[in-house]
Amino acid sequence: MIHPHDSAIVRTLGRIVIPVAQLFGFYVLVFGQYGPGGGFVGGVVIAASMILAILIFGIDSPDSIMARNILHGDGLGLLIFAGVGGLCMIGGGQFLNYTYLQIPNLDQASQHFIGIMLTQIGVAVDVAVTGVSIAISLSFDDDEIPQDEGSHG
Amino acid sequence: MTFELPLLFLLVITAGGAILVKDLISAVFILGSYSFALALVWALLGAVDVAFVEAVVGAGLATVFFLLTLFRTTEKDTHIRRPPMPWPAIIGLPLLGVLLLYGAGDLPAFGDAYSVASTHISPVFLQNSLADTRTPNVVTAVLMDYRSFDTFIETIVIFTAGIACALILRKGN
């Protein structure tokens, strides 16, 4: 299990860097259709910011509650991606053919735009959750399970 | 063009250093610097998306994963003995290098508009992606629209990696 870092410099800098990194991740995710970046990179940056929170404040700290709670979204990104494909199939087309996304009052190119955006969000959610999940799995210590169960009751 | 030779030199230095150094934590950080130099090479060649992924994943996330793995094991590779190189490798690897250099002479020049890769389907993507998808970044349009099924399978691969790590490493819970 990762213990919280006791250096004041690291903790203070972490409080500054982590929100900036998360904001940059969302920017890369949203801006991926206009510049370099996209769902994968945005998800990795968001995951890296949450892993940084775990490494600095410890996994049981209230400061890394977002990294703990995001684990419940495991598979949600894949569900978004497959859901967009399924919506295309419901609309009468092939899997992931955004022409059949059937959004009213939108032309075909805009439907493709919406489809790309939704699938990018799906990839970002999947990558972010998986990154945090692998980091928590790697820091999982078998020896501390009895102590945790004893302390919690 | 003036930056290419120093960057390639840096790549060779950092790759060799990551293999040869005894302290594994130093090796992880040297590998991170290798990824950063490689990202600069990609950016220099015009592949900005690949450079972004290399910088974020290679220098950022993979370094953290390597470090977390090292914290569970030992930091020195004293138990790993490197045996003397077998003689087929001594003879075969230089031959393979010569063969690769000979094959590299037939590769198209960088930015060649008449090579096979840039005449088959790339012009279709470059000409139609903005009108088809309203996405100025062609790489995103190809990845997420024209080839979105490939991306879907890759997302499944990432998801499976997370599941497998959780199943193997989180025992007893």
Side-chain angles (χ1 to χ4, degrees):
Chain A
M1 199 61 75
I2 299 170
H3 298 289
H5 207 284
D6 53 354
S7 163
I9 300 173
V10 172
R11 296 176 73 92
T12 312
L13 260 181
R15 287 192 191 282
I16 300 171
V17 166
I18 290 167
V20 174
Q22 285 179 348
L23 200 64
F24 182 67
F26 280 113
Y27 163 75
V28 167
L29 166 63
V30 175
F31 200 68
Q33 283 165 296
Y34 298 97
F40 186 77
V41 185
V44 171
V45 172
I46 294 170
S49 70
M50 287 175 188
I51 292 171
L52 193 62
I54 294 174
L55 291 181
I56 291 175
F57 302 114
I59 199 165
D60 292 325
S61 160
D63 294 299
S64 56
I65 190 166
M66 193 175 169
R68 266 203 320 278
N69 285 337
I70 200 179
L71 289 181
H72 296 297
D74 208 355
L76 187 68
L78 204 58
L79 200 67
I80 294 173
F81 206 141
V84 173
L87 280 181
C88 299
M89 285 177 81
I90 290 173
Q94 297 91 359
F95 188 67
L96 288 170
N97 188 350
Y98 306 141
T99 310
Y100 298 94
L101 207 51
Q102 306 288 358
I103 301 170
N105 302 323
L106 276 184
D107 57 338
Q108 195 172 320
S110 299
Q111 285 182 3
H112 278 263
F113 186 88
I114 299 283
I116 291 175
M117 202 171 69
L118 286 177
T119 48
Q120 272 191 333
I121 291 172
V123 171
V125 169
D126 186 79
V127 171
V129 172
T130 306
V132 176
S133 167
I134 290 178
I136 289 180
S137 298
L138 283 176
S139 63
F140 197 79
D141 203 348
D142 305 336
D143 302 333
E144 296 194 1
I145 296 169
Q147 295 174 10
D148 283 350
E149 286 176 350
S151 63
H152 287 298
Chain B
M1 283 298 171
T2 54
F3 290 107
E4 282 184 358
L5 278 180
L7 274 178
L8 284 177
F9 187 67
L10 197 63
L11 274 183
V12 174
I13 292 286
T14 47
I19 297 172
L20 292 178
V21 74
K22 282 289 180 186
D23 189 12
L24 287 179
I25 288 189
S26 305
V28 167
F29 282 110
I30 293 173
L31 207 60
S33 66
Y34 167 81
S35 287
F36 190 70
L38 193 59
L40 289 180
V41 171
W42 290 127
L44 209 64
L45 290 176
V48 194
D49 284 272
V50 186
F52 211 158
V53 172
E54 182 69 43
V56 169
V57 176
L61 206 58
T63 308
V64 175
F65 287 164
F66 274 130
L67 283 180
L68 286 175
T69 313
L70 281 184
F71 288 155
R72 287 172 66 101
T73 57
T74 177
E75 301 159 10
K76 308 274 183 189
D77 65 343
T78 49
H79 298 287
I80 301 173
R81 300 197 186 282
R82 293 199 173 92
M85 198 179 272
W87 62 268
I90 295 177
I91 298 173
L93 286 179
L95 275 177
L96 184 67
V98 169
L99 206 64
L100 285 177
L101 281 178
Y102 173 71
D106 278 345
L107 286 178
F110 177 67
D112 187 9
Y114 298 101
S115 66
V116 180
S118 12
T119 50
H120 176 49
I121 202 166
S122 300
V124 182
F125 290 151
L126 289 175
Q127 285 162 7
N128 297 339
S129 69
L130 186 58
D132 278 350
T133 63
R134 291 206 178 151
T135 302
N137 189 358
V138 186
V139 179
T140 305
V142 171
L143 275 181
M144 288 295 171
D145 197 340
Y146 295 106
R147 296 287 179 263
S148 56
F149 198 73
D150 288 350
T151 315
F152 182 60
I153 304 292
E154 283 163 15
T155 315
I156 292 178
V157 169
I158 295 169
F159 176 69
T160 314
I163 294 288
C165 274
L167 284 178
I168 292 171
L169 294 170
R170 291 189 215 173
K171 288 174 185 165
N173 204 0

